[in-house]
Amino acid sequence: MLHPVTDSIEAELRARLTHAAFRPLEPRYLEEPRGRWRTEDALLVAPATADEVADVVRVAGAARVPVVPYGGGTGLVGGQIASAGPRPILLSLERMTAIRSVHPDEAVLVAEAGAILADVQSAAAAAGLTFPLSLASGGSARIGGLLATNAGGVGVLRYGNARDLCLGIEAVLPDGSVHHGLKRLRKDNTGYDLKNLLIGAEGTLGVITAAVLRLHPRPAAEGAALVVVPSPEAALKLLALARGRMAEGVSAFELMGGQGLRFLEETMPEVRRPVDPAPDWCVLIDVGLAQGLDPAAALEDLFAEAFEAGLATDGVIAQSEAQRAAFWHVRETIPEANRRIGSVSSHDISVPLSAIPAFIARADAALAELGDMRINCFGHVGDGNLHYNVFPAPGRGHDDYEPLRPAIKAAVHDLVHEMGGSVSAEHGVGRLKVAELERYGDPAKLAAMRAIKAALDPGGIMNPGAVLRVAAGGAPDPA
C-alpha cells in the first residue's frame, strides 16, 4: 500500500539535498492546462543532478511514497497530476537544464531532462544543425517530458516522433539505481533496449534525467504554401503528389478544417488568415530543400499540377520567411481558439493514412445521429494523426452535452479501433485514457506492460495511476 509523504520523510530529503531543491508549491504545479485534474497537495522537490533524483527515489521507495515526475507541465492527459491517492512527491526536473555537450560532427546533442525544447533547438542551430521536434509548447515543454510521452508534433512526417530523435538516455529506475545509457551510438545490439522502454512510459518505469538527441542538417531553403482542397481525399492525393515531387523534402503536411478557421475568426480576429472566407478544407505544406533548389518554385509547380488534377482550388505560396511564419501562426493558434470556445469532447487519434477520408465521413455521420454539434477536425494528416474535437452548437452550452459525452467519445474511439487506429496518437495515455487503453488495447500487450511494471516497480511508486490502473493495495492492477 502506498503512503503519503510525511514531515519525517521531508526531513530526510532535506538532509540529503541542498536547500535549493525545495521551493513553494505554486498553483502551476497543481493543475494541468485543461483544468481536468488537480492536485490538492504535494511535496515539491527539484533535484539538480541524477544522483539527487536517485536519492529522492530511494527515500520514496523505502517509505512507499508516490513519485510523480514533472517536466514543463504541458501534458494534456493528466500524466503530471496525481489527482487521487496519498500525498505524493512531485519531482520537478526544472533545475536540470544543462546542455551537457554538442557534437556537430556526429549530429548529436546531450541535454538534461529539464532543458526546454526551444533552448535545445537554439543550441542545435548554433552548431549549424537542427533538432526538428516542433510543437506549439516549445517554449515551455521540457526534453524529459517530451521523451516520456514520445511527443509528436508537426515534423513527424519527415523526422519521426521523439523516440526517433533519441539515441540514448540516462534515467533513475524505481529502485533508485541510475541507468547510464548516454551512448552516442546509432547501432547497439547489446540486449534489451531500455531506452525505448522508458521513452513513452510517462514516468511509470523511471525518471529520465538526460538524453542523447539526434540532430539533422538544416535545409538550405525552406518554404510553405496554404492550399485549398475540395476534400480530405484530395488532401491525401496532394500529399502523395508532393512527396513524389520532393520526396523527404516535405517536412510537414497539416490538414485544417473550416470550422477551426471560423473559431479563429470568432475568438482571435487579430490573427490574419491567408484565405478568406474560410474554406471547408485546406492544407499547410512546409518544405525544406537542398542547396540550389527553390521551395517557392517547387511549390508553384506542385500547385499547378494539383490544380490541373482537381486536387486544389486555391492557394497562397509564402514569398518570404515572415509570410511562412504567418501561415504557421494560423495553424498553431487553432488549439488556443478551440480552448476559448471550449470543447465537449477532444480526441487525439490516428488511423492509417488511406482511412482518413472514410474516418472523417463516418465519424461526422455518427455524431450527427447523436445531436447537433460542431466538429473541428485538424492535425498532422501527413502521419495519420488527427485532432477530432467536438464543440457545442451555436447558442448551446456545455451542460447541454454532458449526458452525451460518453456516447460521443465511444462513437469516435470505437470507429478508430475498428479502422485499426489508435485512441492516443501523440498525447499519451496519462490518467485520461487508462480506461480506453483497457478497452481497446491488445490483451497480450497489456499483460506484458503490467508484468514489466511489476518487475521494475514492485512497490508501484512511480507515477501511480498513469497509463496503468492502480489496484487497491497500491500496486499495478493485474486485471
Side-chain angles (χ1 to χ4, degrees):
M1 180 177 293
L2 294 174
H3 304 292
V5 62
T6 61
D7 291 345
S8 61
I9 294 171
E10 179 176 348
E12 182 176 357
L13 288 171
R14 287 185 178 275
R16 290 172 177 259
L17 307 178
T18 65
H19 176 73
F22 300 88
R23 51 192 58 201
L25 189 65
E26 299 173 10
R28 64 188 175 95
Y29 297 109
L30 299 174
E31 189 172 84
E32 51 86 42
R34 294 179 178 175
R36 293 175 176 173
W37 286 273
R38 181 175 175 81
T39 298
E40 293 304 321
D41 193 16
L43 173 63
L44 177 65
V45 181
T49 66
D51 287 340
E52 288 189 353
V53 173
D55 279 341
V56 174
V57 173
R58 280 193 290 268
V59 169
R64 293 289 298 274
V65 169
V67 176
V68 180
Y70 189 94
T74 60
L76 298 176
V77 290
Q80 73 274 38
I81 300 293
S83 58
R87 181 182 182 231
I89 295 172
L90 189 62
L91 197 158
S92 172
L93 281 303
E94 63 192 303
R95 292 179 65 217
M96 298 182 64
T97 61
I99 306 296
R100 292 186 183 176
S101 61
V102 182
H103 307 269
D105 292 344
E106 301 176 20
V108 160
L109 179 152
V110 181
E112 292 185 338
I116 292 173
L117 174 57
D119 293 337
V120 171
Q121 291 169 332
S122 295
L129 298 163
T130 182
F131 182 63
L133 183 64
S134 179
L135 57 165
S137 59
S140 52
R142 298 179 187 271
I143 291 300
L146 293 168
L147 290 171
T149 56
N150 189 29
V154 299
V156 172
L157 174 64
R158 182 170 185 171
Y159 299 105
N161 291 299
R163 184 188 306 279
D164 302 300
L165 297 170
C166 181
L167 295 175
I169 64 170
E170 173 189 86
V172 175
L173 301 179
D175 64 356
S177 62
V178 180
H179 167 51
H180 298 283
L182 294 179
K183 293 184 177 181
R184 307 194 309 268
L185 303 177
R186 262 69 173 180
K187 292 182 176 181
D188 181 5
N189 278 335
T190 53
Y192 300 153
D193 191 343
L194 294 185
K195 164 179 64 71
N196 277 322
L197 182 61
L198 292 166
I199 293 174
E202 302 186 46
T204 61
L205 300 178
V207 183
I208 295 172
T209 53
V212 180
L213 302 177
R214 184 196 302 263
L215 307 182
H216 286 263
R218 298 176 64 181
E222 296 176 297
L226 196 72
V227 180
V228 177
V229 295
S231 66
E233 184 176 12
L236 280 185
K237 291 180 179 178
L238 178 59
L239 171 61
L241 185 64
R243 299 197 79 182
R245 280 180 160 272
M246 290 175 271
E248 295 306 309
V250 181
S251 301
F253 195 92
E254 299 287 299
L255 180 71
M256 294 182 282
Q259 187 63 73
L261 297 175
R262 289 188 286 274
F263 282 166
L264 198 59
E265 183 178 2
E266 179 180 342
T267 63
M268 305 171 74
E270 69 278 7
V271 177
R272 184 177 179 274
R273 293 168 300 284
V275 288
D276 198 35
D280 288 339
W281 296 103
C282 62
V283 294
L284 173 56
I285 309 172
D286 198 87
V287 300
L289 303 181
Q291 189 171 358
L293 299 178
D294 182 355
L299 288 167
E300 287 172 7
D301 291 343
L302 173 67
F303 178 77
E305 187 173 350
F307 186 83
E308 184 69 24
L311 304 179
T313 59
D314 196 2
V316 184
I317 297 171
Q319 299 301 310
S320 65
E321 182 57 31
Q323 194 172 18
R324 174 173 173 251
F327 290 177
W328 275 108
H329 183 60
V330 170
R331 165 61 183 87
E332 290 171 350
T333 49
I334 287 177
E336 174 60 20
N338 283 350
R339 190 190 66 79
R340 296 186 185 189
I341 295 290
S343 70
V344 172
S345 185
S346 300
H347 313 95
D348 162 44
I349 62 95
S350 63
V351 294
L353 285 182
S354 61
I356 287 175
F359 166 79
I360 293 173
R362 290 180 61 186
D364 286 358
L367 296 192
E369 292 182 2
L370 294 176
D372 184 19
M373 54 194 81
R374 291 178 289 181
I375 297 167
N376 181 17
C377 178
F378 68 103
H380 323 303
V381 70
D383 57 51
N385 178 195
L386 295 175
H387 300 294
Y388 188 88
N389 300 339
V390 181
F391 298 82
R396 300 187 64 186
H398 291 81
D399 291 345
D400 298 333
Y401 294 87
E402 192 60 31
L404 290 175
R405 287 187 74 249
I408 292 171
K409 194 167 291 291
V412 174
H413 286 169
D414 283 354
L415 182 58
V416 168
H417 184 63
E418 177 190 331
M419 291 184 156
S422 170
V423 298
S424 179
E426 66 174 355
H427 292 163
V429 175
R431 290 169 174 81
L432 175 65
K433 295 183 178 180
V434 171
E436 278 84 356
L437 179 61
E438 294 170 344
R439 177 173 180 176
Y440 302 109
D442 174 69
K445 177 181 177 180
L446 286 171
M449 288 172 61
R450 293 184 182 112
I452 291 168
K453 172 70 170 174
L456 292 182
D457 184 20
I461 67 167
M462 296 307 307
N463 210 4
V467 184
L468 296 173
R469 193 178 302 277
V470 176
D477 193 339

